[in-house]
Amino acid sequence: MLAWLLDSDWLLPFDHRLISWTDMHPSVIRHVRSWSNIPFITVPLSRTHGKSFAHRGELKHAKRIVVKLGSAVVTRGDECGLALGRLASIVEQVSVLQNQGREMMLVTSGAVAFGKQRLRHEILLSQSVRQALHSGQNQLKEMAIPVLEARACAAAGQSGLMALYEAMFTQYSICAAQILVTNLDFHDEQKRRNLNGTLHELLRMNIVPIVNTNDAVVPPAEPNSDLQGVNVISVKDNDSLAARLAVEMKTDLLIVLSDVEGLFDSPPGSDDAKLIDIFYPGDQQSVTFGTKSRVGMGGMEAKVKAALWALQGGTSVVIANGTHPKVSGHVITDIVEGKKVGTFFSEVKPAGPTVEQQGEMARSGGRMLATLEPEQRAEIIHHLADLLTDQRDEILLANKKDLEEAEGRLAAPLLKRLSLSTSKLNSLAIGLRQIAASSQDSVGRVLRRTRIAKNLELEQVTVPIGVLLVIFESRPDCLPQVAALAIASGNGLLLKGGKEAAHSNRILHLLTQEALSIHGVKEAVQLVNTREEVEDLCRLDKMIDLIIPRGSSQLVRDIQKAAKGIPVMGHSEGICHMYVDSEASVDKVTRLVRDSKCEYPAACNALETLLIHRDLLRTPLFDQIIDMLRVEQVKIHAGPKFASYLTFSPSEVKSLRTEYGDLELCIEVVDNVQDAIDHIHKYGSSHTDVIVTENENTAEFFLQHVDSACVFWNASTRFSDGYRFGLGAEVGISTSRIHARGPVGLEGLLTTKWLLRGKDHVVSDFSEHGSLKYLHENLPVPQRNTN
């Protein structure tokens, strides 16, 4: 640990833990205004280090960072000691960022709490000794602890606090230096210059400065009843101090850690309180501030004032929760990585609504959509289908821009997914009209009717799920398909497309909203165009009811991992198998294998593993399969058993659980149908699996025993598709085992609710001595309109 003694003319390092400093940069305009107890110095708007970051994603470029630790973060719940676990996590994160080449500074509280713990221990020890000497007894009476003065606590705790920081930072081979200030020090221009020089020198030597107000000598703070007689001094001062240091040192980012998740539009804990993701100057009027934190003299209002002052000086600010590591995770590093944590202060307002506002619009728009007549929802979808063909030229022109920008950046299979054509648009329009036809009796359909008792009838009816978030990559044709299914099912919809399809998605979304406008529900479908990361979208559990990923297996896995509290419908992989039985037809096999593998190898329902009955090896049928694959330029990977049969084998497969998504195929040998089923269950993804055989008994055994979403007999894997199933379109293929499985169309986007109609019925009437009895009679259900 290094400490520095500041004088008016020179700097001298010395071996001591407590020092005094002060200084601010002389270029600052010397006009003073006061917030709280610390005067604020007005800073020119033009700064050498530039303006603050406009978006969270830019925070990863922050070089110089100040982290302010509030008293509630540093102290334990009993306010008598430090929260060692939290401090260890904070030190680890600061060290990680420091070792990345960033310049980290800490503004910390905690000396009073640490000193209180030490003084309480000393008082108890001394009282017990005196009492034992006075009474001559070993039994101690209950002893009262006097009120401890905060400045004495600070004096006793400061050295211990810094020793703790020193020990923690040493574990990461980082040196830390302590700097103490008082309010009066800021009035001396020479001391401000000294401070600036000292901090720059420490940063130059890769040392982490740890700054705190010298609470041992500051004036007494106002009494704080929450602390039961012990006042934690200068928390407001530390908020202001952190902002002051951030501006003076031209830092890129100030992170203020408190005991709340960030800034709310009303006091946290109130019924309508909502976390504000981004706060802009001038938004103070929309915020109602509550009481301060459980310890300290400052509250959120002081933090906001300090944050806005720092923002005005060119420093970006985030206020976040630092008290619950299990909830907030690595909050400091998450903030620097640009994740949506806490409240981000920005001077740049987005042109459109925030994603939270879009979620609310989708919710209200979806509820209005659900109240429309089925014919009206069908009319919207028909109109969208017409627009796809009528506006074909504009759509293809936008798609051409996407393809030109993606050339050389995307692999060939992804470029094929990105591409739109006249035939694709025509197919889309046909699929949408199928959806419109099937939507006539979807929402509000009665599934069950029961007479509970006389004049007490129960119905179970279909209703929309709520708000869907669909995330898709390189598939602009996905947008109208998913939108039509959401409209037909009365769901609100948030769409997050890949940036590679930005132009195509934009015009397709405009056409969707044009169709929705004919019945006044334009806002039911929203396209997220902000810089929201997928992981951040997955945290909006109060706005989103179901997430549906459409893209690579990695995307699906990432979303399943990131979605906490929101169900995810989808499949992480499409490892589809085809088992060629010993009784397979020679004429059928090559057609089925070619179509399953070569028709569209990038699709999730493309064949990835071909299982061959061992009796077919070295037969004309096997030779025909291999010849066809060579003609189609399919690269073959040999499974372990297949490789053992060959003198010169193709490259042996690295994993039998691989989704190639290209003209590559794994071939493996199995002994019989049961062996094939065992292989599929071990290495498959429960997506789509096929048997090719002329033996009906073998086929039925396969169909009944393979546990996958889609199981076929003598049919291509490519039939696993909502359009081909007659669903009109699909939002995806689900391999989960609840709610929906396989291609998910309109039915998979509905849930149910119960409607009970009675006449002054109460449960007590059905008790043992009541006047009514349960009937539980099944009643006829209205026939579904299948026209």
Side-chain angles (χ1 to χ4, degrees):
M1 174 73 69
L2 293 179
W4 295 81
L5 176 64
L6 281 77
D7 203 298
S8 59
D9 298 314
W10 46 268
L11 302 174
L12 176 67
F14 75 107
D15 188 16
H16 197 275
R17 297 189 189 279
L18 297 179
I19 60 163
S20 179
W21 66 266
T22 45
D23 167 45
M24 278 217 150
H25 200 277
S27 65
V28 175
I29 296 177
R30 299 174 187 87
H31 172 69
V32 176
R33 58 177 177 172
S34 294
W35 283 349
S36 172
N37 294 326
I38 286 191
F40 274 75
I41 300 176
T42 303
V43 178
L45 292 177
S46 59
R47 295 183 37 131
T48 56
H49 74 296
K51 293 184 178 181
S52 59
F53 295 122
H55 307 284
R56 284 183 184 269
E58 298 173 349
L59 295 180
K60 61 174 67 77
H61 303 300
K63 169 72 173 177
R64 185 172 291 175
I65 302 171
V66 171
V67 178
K68 187 264 177 180
L69 308 179
S71 296
V73 176
V74 177
T75 60
R76 295 197 314 241
D78 61 3
E79 301 155 20
C80 293
L82 303 179
L84 298 181
R86 287 202 292 269
L87 276 182
S89 175
I90 289 168
V91 167
E92 178 186 23
Q93 295 171 73
V94 170
S95 300
V96 166
L97 296 173
Q98 180 80 5
N99 288 329
Q100 289 176 355
R102 306 179 198 268
E103 297 173 341
M104 305 298 296
M105 291 180 280
L106 285 182
V107 175
T108 181
S109 303
V112 172
F114 195 67
K116 180 180 178 182
Q117 183 185 36
R118 295 181 64 181
L119 292 180
R120 282 169 61 96
H121 178 76
E122 293 297 326
I123 291 171
L124 287 172
L125 183 62
S126 62
Q127 284 184 343
S128 64
V129 171
R130 288 196 302 270
Q131 186 173 349
L133 291 174
H134 182 267
S135 62
Q137 302 178 28
N138 292 327
Q139 294 182 343
L140 300 178
K141 298 180 181 178
E142 187 175 328
M143 296 174 291
I145 299 176
V147 173
L148 300 176
E149 204 275 329
R151 285 174 292 179
C153 293
Q158 196 64 251
S159 60
L161 176 65
M162 296 314 300
L164 180 62
Y165 275 122
E166 178 183 12
M168 288 182 173
F169 275 112
T170 299
Q171 301 302 311
Y172 302 94
S173 302
I174 290 177
C175 183
Q178 179 188 14
I179 300 179
L180 295 177
V181 296
T182 66
N183 297 344
L184 298 177
D185 292 331
F186 285 98
H187 295 285
D188 190 297
E189 180 182 343
Q190 184 63 51
K191 290 182 179 180
R192 289 198 300 267
R193 284 201 298 266
N194 289 343
L195 166 64
N196 190 284
T198 299
L199 289 173
H200 276 94
E201 182 67 11
L202 293 175
L203 294 176
R204 186 187 67 81
M205 293 188 294
N206 200 34
I207 295 172
V208 176
I210 300 177
V211 185
N212 192 7
T213 52
N214 192 351
D215 291 342
V217 297
V218 297
E222 297 177 3
N224 187 335
S225 59
D226 290 347
L227 295 179
Q228 300 175 349
V230 178
N231 297 321
V232 177
I233 299 175
S234 302
V235 172
K236 278 188 178 180
D237 290 354
N238 274 344
D239 289 325
S240 304
L241 170 61
R244 181 190 297 273
L245 282 179
V247 172
E248 281 298 313
M249 294 300 294
K250 297 180 172 61
T251 58
D252 302 307
L253 174 62
L254 167 61
I255 299 174
V256 179
L257 297 184
S258 180
D259 57 351
V260 292
E261 280 67 27
L263 180 61
F264 289 78
D265 57 1
S266 56
S270 59
D271 291 339
D272 298 326
K274 293 181 181 179
L275 179 66
I276 298 173
D277 174 40
I278 305 177
F279 189 80
Y280 305 99
D283 284 356
Q284 296 96 313
Q285 303 301 322
S286 63
V287 177
T288 302
F289 293 102
T291 57
K292 62 179 183 56
S293 62
R294 62 174 175 83
V295 289
M297 295 301 295
M300 186 56 71
E301 187 172 8
K303 290 175 175 58
V304 170
K305 286 183 178 180
L308 290 174
W309 190 83
L311 186 68
Q312 177 188 354
T315 296
S316 296
V317 183
V318 176
I319 297 178
N321 190 337
T323 60
H324 298 292
K326 291 183 179 179
V327 176
S328 56
H330 289 152
V331 59
I332 299 174
T333 51
D334 284 350
I335 289 171
V336 175
E337 289 172 6
K339 296 181 181 179
K340 185 175 283 190
V341 179
T343 299
F344 173 62
F345 286 70
S346 175
E347 293 182 298
V348 181
K349 279 199 171 187
T354 66
V355 69
E356 289 83 4
Q357 291 170 332
Q358 286 186 295
E360 292 174 356
M361 288 189 289
R363 174 79 68 187
S364 60
R367 286 172 176 163
M368 292 176 61
L369 186 63
T371 62
L372 296 179
E373 294 297 325
E375 295 78 10
Q376 293 175 304
R377 289 193 294 269
E379 186 181 354
I380 293 172
I381 300 170
H382 276 296
H383 188 45
L384 177 56
D386 293 338
L387 288 171
L388 291 179
T389 54
D390 295 344
Q391 305 295 324
R392 179 189 306 111
D393 293 341
E394 289 81 357
I395 296 171
L396 295 180
L397 181 61
N399 185 244
K400 183 181 178 182
K401 291 181 182 178
D402 288 327
L403 290 170
E404 290 173 350
E405 293 176 5
E407 191 68 38
R409 296 191 298 110
L410 293 182
L414 293 179
L415 280 174
K416 187 174 181 181
R417 287 187 177 188
L418 178 60
S419 175
L420 293 175
S421 63
T422 300
S423 61
K424 269 191 178 182
L425 292 176
N426 289 335
S427 296
L428 275 174
I430 293 171
L432 263 57
R433 292 187 179 99
Q434 288 182 347
I435 294 173
S438 63
S439 69
Q440 294 292 326
D441 191 22
S442 55
V443 180
R445 177 163 51 91
V446 179
L447 301 179
R448 179 185 304 177
R449 293 180 65 222
T450 304
R451 180 177 287 116
I452 303 297
K454 184 179 179 181
N455 295 324
L456 184 63
E457 293 187 2
L458 178 69
E459 285 184 350
Q460 184 184 20
V461 300
T462 58
V463 293
I465 289 175
V467 175
L468 314 176
L469 168 62
V470 178
I471 303 168
F472 55 100
E473 295 177 322
S474 307
R475 288 285 300 273
D477 56 329
C478 174
L479 192 153
Q481 287 180 338
V482 173
L485 287 168
I487 294 167
S489 57
N491 284 289
L493 179 62
L494 284 176
L495 292 159
K496 175 66 173 175
K499 59 184 179 181
E500 65 279 354
H503 299 293
S504 304
N505 290 337
R506 189 175 299 113
I507 188 170
L508 290 170
H509 178 247
L510 288 174
L511 296 177
T512 301
Q513 290 202 315
E514 182 179 337
L516 288 163
S517 297
I518 65 176
H519 287 297
V521 287
K522 176 182 176 180
E523 295 182 342
V525 177
Q526 297 286 324
L527 179 64
V528 179
N529 286 316
T530 60
R531 299 189 178 198
E532 302 294 329
E533 297 293 337
V534 169
E535 184 175 345
D536 294 330
L537 290 172
C538 292
R539 295 178 180 176
L540 301 177
D541 57 317
K542 291 182 174 61
M543 299 181 181
I544 297 167
D545 299 297
L546 179 67
I547 301 176
I548 305 173
R550 295 286 303 271
S552 66
S553 57
Q554 186 60 51
L555 170 72
V556 180
R557 283 194 295 269
D558 290 343
I559 290 174
Q560 289 173 333
K561 182 179 179 181
K564 298 176 180 178
I566 308 176
V568 177
M569 180 187 292
H571 63 280
S572 58
E573 294 172 306
I575 306 174
C576 302
H577 294 75
M578 179 178 288
Y579 165 57
V580 181
D581 185 53
S582 60
E583 298 181 65
S585 166
V586 175
D587 296 333
K588 295 177 182 177
V589 171
T590 52
R591 274 173 48 84
L592 293 172
V593 173
R594 180 189 290 110
D595 189 77
S596 297
K597 178 72 256 184
C598 308
E599 197 267 342
Y600 190 6
C604 66
N605 57 11
L607 177 64
E608 304 292 5
T609 299
L610 182 64
L611 301 176
I612 304 288
H613 193 287
R614 65 178 179 180
D615 292 346
L616 296 179
L617 293 177
R618 301 186 180 90
T619 66
L621 186 151
F622 179 76
D623 293 340
Q624 287 183 27
I625 296 172
I626 298 300
D627 290 341
M628 181 273 296
L629 292 173
R630 286 174 178 166
V631 170
E632 298 291 342
Q633 298 183 332
V634 177
K635 182 178 181 180
I636 298 174
H637 301 277
K641 291 183 180 179
F642 181 42
S644 68
Y645 283 93
L646 305 174
T647 304
F648 300 101
S649 68
S651 61
E652 188 165 341
V653 69
K654 295 180 180 179
S655 170
L656 290 168
R657 194 179 286 110
T658 302
E659 182 181 13
Y660 298 103
D662 205 347
L663 286 174
E664 298 183 54
L665 180 68
C666 171
I667 297 180
E668 182 58 309
V669 175
V670 292
D671 294 335
N672 49 47
V673 65
Q674 184 61 58
D675 195 17
I677 293 171
D678 292 342
H679 179 102
I680 290 169
H681 288 166
K682 185 173 183 179
Y683 299 109
S685 61
S686 301
H687 192 294
T688 301
D689 299 294
V690 176
I691 182 172
V692 184
T693 185
E694 296 304 301
N695 188 312
E696 184 176 352
N697 292 331
T698 303
E700 287 299 325
F701 183 85
F702 185 90
L703 294 174
Q704 298 302 320
H705 286 80
V706 171
D707 186 14
S708 295
C710 300
V711 188
F712 302 160
W713 172 25
N714 288 348
S716 169
T717 60
R718 297 279 290 121
F719 278 105
S720 181
D721 176 83
Y723 173 75
R724 298 182 178 105
F725 276 15
L727 305 179
E730 65 183 30
V731 292
I733 295 179
S734 172
T735 55
S736 65
R737 300 176 188 277
I738 57 173
H739 183 67
R741 199 176 187 201
V744 181
L746 179 58
E747 298 289 335
L749 300 182
L750 296 171
T751 184
T752 65
K753 71 177 180 181
W754 297 90
L755 305 177
L756 185 62
R757 297 179 175 91
K759 292 184 178 179
D760 193 29
H761 288 83
V762 293
V763 171
S764 59
D765 287 341
F766 295 86
S767 63
E768 183 177 355
H769 302 292
S771 58
L772 295 177
K773 301 295 182 183
Y774 288 111
L775 299 178
H776 292 150
E777 296 176 359
N778 291 327
L779 299 175
V781 174
Q783 292 300 309
R784 184 177 182 182
N785 180 11
T786 58
N787 294 328

